[in-house]
Amino acid sequence: MDASALRRRIALSAGLAGAGVIAWRAGEAASGAGPLAFLVSGIGMGVFIVGAILLAGAILQGRASKALDVMTEPASRAVTLRALYGAIGAVLVAGGLSVLGSTTGVLPPAPFDLLLAIGTGAFLFVLAHGQSGLARG
C-alpha cells in the first residue's frame, strides 16, 4: 500500500473517531434529555472505538511496511502539530464561551468532559484534513 492510500485511510479513520467522540460526549452531557441522548451516546462511542482502532491499524501498517511513518516524516509531524494547536484553540474557545455564557446567565456551564471531547474531536478533524491534503499532493 502506498503512502497516499495510507494517508486517505488515516484521514477517514481520524474523521470517524472525531465525529464519534463528539457525539458520544454530547449524548452523555445531555443524558437528562431522555432515551435519544443515550442512543446518540452509544452510537457515538461505537463510532469512536471503530475509528480509533482503524486509525491505530493504519498508522501501524504504515510503519510496518515502511511506506509512511507519521511520527518521523516532517510533513506528517507538521500536520500533527497543527492538529494539536487546533485542539488547544478549540478547547480555549469552547471554555471561554462556557465561562462567558455562565457568568452572564445566558448559557449553563459546559461540563468539563464535553470541553475535552470538543478538543479531541478538533484534533482528529484537523488531523484528518491535513492527512487528506497531503494525500492529494
Side-chain angles (χ1 to χ4, degrees), residues 3-113:
S4 179
L6 280 169
R7 287 186 195 282
R8 283 192 297 273
R9 282 185 53 199
I10 289 172
L12 176 66
S13 55
L16 274 174
V21 74
I22 289 175
W24 172 26
R25 298 317 299 169
E28 288 287 321
S31 61
L36 183 61
F38 287 116
L39 180 67
V40 169
S41 174
I43 291 172
M45 182 170 52
V47 169
F48 170 68
I49 290 171
V50 168
I53 290 170
L54 290 175
L55 178 62
I59 290 172
L60 291 175
Q61 182 182 11
R63 288 189 76 156
S65 67
K66 298 194 184 346
L68 174 68
D69 190 359
V70 296
M71 302 299 178
T72 59
E73 185 188 33
S76 291
R77 186 179 301 167
V79 165
T80 305
L81 282 176
R82 268 193 309 247
L84 185 61
Y85 298 151
I88 291 169
V91 168
L92 289 176
V93 168
L97 289 176
S98 173
V99 168
L100 179 67
S102 66
T103 55
T104 59
V106 177
L107 297 170
F112 183 69
D113 60 343

Side-chain angles (χ1 to χ4, degrees), residues 108-137:
F112 183 69
D113 60 343
L114 188 59
L115 295 177
L116 288 178
I118 289 170
T120 305
F123 173 77
L124 291 166
F125 283 136
V126 173
L127 181 68
H129 178 69
Q131 288 293 338
S132 67
L134 289 176
R136 283 182 293 226

